[in-house]
Amino acid sequence: MTPALRVQGVSHAFGKTQALRDVSLTVQPGRFVALLGVNGAGKSTLFSLVTRLYDNVSGTIEVCGHDVRRQPGPALARMGVVFQSRSLDMSLTIRQNLRYHAALQGIGRREAIKRGDWVLERVGLLDKGASKVATLSGGQVRRAEIARALMHDPTLLLLDEATVGLDLRSRADVVDTVRALAQGGEVGILWATHLFDEVRSDDDVVLLHKGEVLATDTASEIAGDSTLSDRFLELTGVDEREIAA
Amino acid sequence: MTPNRLGWQGHITALGGIVWREAIRFAQQRERFLSALVRPLVWLFIFAAGFRSVLGLSITPPYETYILYEVYVTPGLIAMIQLFNGMQSSLSMVYDRETGAMRTLLVSPYPRWFVLVSKLVAGVAVSILQVYAFLAIAWFWEIRPPPIGYLTLLPALVLSGLMLGAIGLLLSSTIKQLENFAGVMNFVIFPMFFASSALYPLWRLQESSELLYDICLFNPFTYAVELIRFALYAQVNWPAVGIVIAVTVAFLGAAIYAYDPSKGLVGRRRG
């Protein structure tokens, strides 16, 4: 099966600062892959490379078999993204935001309306479609962003710290919504987070630290006899307070 | 996504979506519309009225008779609307980049140049609405170009709007934060407007300062003003057409380069 995402040997530097070093990972359709690392590990840089906000000059990044450098159009067309910073237009309603995004993906108005209802139902916001984004709670905005990322039926869904700033209940809602998507079997999910409690034992995990992949396996395999967070501390040598932040 | 969405129909849908969003934002921001309208009207009602008696104007093309200063200054004020609008669009791009909304635009599967040009077209469409609203009010102030002029003005507005928008687009790619933009407004908008043929004919300027005259000739805004001035009287100022197109191509090319993640400035920055 063609992976939803294949990153092979990718490095990236900002001037003299090496942000990523020889990073490789794979996300299969139907899998929830947690990209786990503390702040500054390089998660957002990797997301920027996959989404072509930055150019990858070393290694290869393929989305559904399309190299993002050589075939950015087909690669981006199969990718849905929820960025770390909020990126919905606050002055528009959810439905208007969805329609705008659909247009940017080449989806016409009629189909956008139909798909809009479908994705809103999946994230539990069908009754909020006519609400302005500015009136929504943090968790609802995040779910609306997930709905938007699903509008063009992507095979790969990227979420960068999607639960940051949310209360516990909203966090759980968002994580559950995303996991349910993976269970459908068609969407591969790369979930970047620094929160260990969002990772389940059977999830695929990529441990990223200071731009390098330290481990790739299921969470339970990486943890071994210990807990995932303890194992992470052991591998990275970071202070316990850093992962609690 | 089916591949045909990446075809020409998809491109048109994307362009339509970008224009639609700009139109909605414009409709929601009544203050923006009002200030875009009030600014040139203040110039017309107060400044031009004051200068009417000071400045004598000889008969120069495209005018076939003596004209009032208000009539002379109108094309300059039209270009001013477009200048402000072009800079405002780029300001909104800097804001979008800061807030993250820009990312939505840039992860569209269509080529980045196409997305940027669509954004530019959306801004120009808004500026044209503003210009016609201004002309409608100016009509009551005895600014009455020939009726055909309102029609022939349209292609000129598209060209000048694209040029001024392209300049703004390039600026937006080089500015890192919104705070820096205020300085650019001062260093770009005012010098461009004052050192041009918007407020006074160039021959008048030449009489007082040869250097200033040369600066005005070097200023692309001068050619946007002259293009509009002639178009408003159903005439074509071909040198202005050529220069406006050339400047548009140069600035748009540079902006597309700057926004290209593999080459430009935006992708190299962190954050």
Side-chain angles (χ1 to χ4, degrees), chain A residues 192-245:
Chain A
T193 185
H194 67 281
L195 301 164
F196 287 76
D197 58 356
E198 289 176 355
V199 182
R200 286 188 196 157
S201 59
D202 58 339
D203 287 338
D204 289 330
V205 172
V206 177
L207 274 189
L208 190 68
H209 186 65
K210 292 187 176 166
E212 282 185 82
V213 174
L214 299 184
T216 310
D217 214 322
T218 59
S220 56
E221 285 294 330
I222 293 175
D225 299 334
S226 162
T227 64
L228 187 61
S229 56
D230 285 346
R231 183 74 182 124
F232 179 82
L233 294 176
E234 198 182 307
L235 283 168
T236 60
V238 301
D239 194 287
E240 196 171 344
R241 282 167 296 184
E242 223 175 306
I243 67 167

Side-chain angles (χ1 to χ4, degrees), chain A residues 119-212:
Chain A
V119 293
L120 284 177
E121 195 168 5
R122 286 189 88 173
V123 300
L125 286 176
L126 193 54
D127 58 328
K128 293 278 180 189
S131 305
K132 284 217 167 151
V133 176
T135 64
L136 302 178
S137 71
Q140 287 170 332
V141 170
R142 275 310 190 195
R143 280 189 282 144
E145 285 185 313
I146 293 167
R148 184 184 59 178
L150 293 172
M151 272 299 275
H152 55 290
D153 199 14
T155 313
L156 172 68
L157 189 59
L158 303 170
L159 300 104
D160 189 7
E161 301 275 12
T163 55
V164 161
L166 301 184
D167 60 56
L168 276 175
R169 185 164 170 200
S170 303
R171 261 179 66 195
D173 280 352
V174 170
V175 177
D176 290 346
T177 303
V178 175
R179 282 186 185 284
L181 294 171
Q183 278 160 9
E186 284 155 19
V187 189
I189 288 161
L190 184 62
W191 175 270
T193 185
H194 67 281
L195 301 164
F196 287 76
D197 58 356
E198 289 176 355
V199 182
R200 286 188 196 157
S201 59
D202 58 339
D203 287 338
D204 289 330
V205 172
V206 177
L207 274 189
L208 190 68
H209 186 65
K210 292 187 176 166
E212 282 185 82

Side-chain angles (χ1 to χ4, degrees), chain B residues 4 16 23 28-29 37 59-60 67 93 99 101 127 138 147 155 162 166 192 199 213 215 220 223 239 269:
Chain B
N4 66 2
Q28 285 177 342
Q29 297 171 341
L37 211 54
I59 301 172
T60 49
I67 48 158
M93 292 211 37
T99 57
S127 80
L162 284 174
M192 272 183 96
L199 297 178
Y213 173 72
I215 291 172
Y223 301 97
R269 287 197 204 108

Side-chain angles (χ1 to χ4, degrees), chain B residues 75 152-153 155-161 197 221-233 235-242 244-245:
Chain B
T152 51
L153 177 65
L157 289 179
V158 172
L159 286 180
S160 55
S197 59
F221 188 72
T222 295
Y223 301 97
V225 173
E226 292 312 305
L227 178 68
I228 290 168
R229 190 186 307 286
F230 278 71
L232 201 52
Y233 290 84
Q235 294 178 40
V236 184
N237 183 330
W238 288 109
V241 171
V244 166
I245 290 175

Side-chain angles (χ1 to χ4, degrees), chain B residues 38-165:
Chain B
V38 165
R39 197 179 300 118
L41 287 174
V42 165
W43 279 84
L44 187 66
F45 294 162
I46 302 172
F47 182 86
F51 262 65
R52 180 195 277 193
S53 53
V54 183
L55 262 168
L57 297 171
S58 68
I59 301 172
T60 49
Y63 308 110
E64 289 164 353
T65 173
Y66 284 102
I67 48 158
L68 289 174
Y69 184 64
E70 289 95 318
V71 174
Y72 177 82
V73 88
T74 297
L77 297 180
I78 292 173
M80 179 196 188
I81 293 172
Q82 291 200 299
L83 177 65
F84 267 91
N85 192 75
M87 296 303 140
Q88 196 132 27
S89 294
S90 63
L91 180 113
S92 78
M93 292 211 37
V94 176
Y95 178 76
D96 279 357
R97 216 173 55 220
E98 279 194 357
T99 57
M102 170 77 95
R103 293 180 169 215
T104 314
L105 199 67
L106 296 184
V107 296
S108 162
Y110 299 104
R112 200 156 288 186
W113 68 263
F114 176 79
V115 173
L116 290 174
V117 170
S118 300
K119 183 90 177 146
L120 197 58
V121 168
V124 173
V126 166
S127 80
I128 289 176
L129 283 178
Q130 292 171 344
V131 166
Y132 279 106
F134 165 72
L135 281 174
I137 298 173
W139 192 84
F140 293 100
W141 202 253
E142 302 294 318
I143 311 293
R144 294 177 182 175
I148 186 75
Y150 289 98
L151 197 65
T152 51
L153 177 65
L154 188 60
L157 289 179
V158 172
L159 286 180
S160 55
L162 284 174
M163 182 188 84
L164 297 167

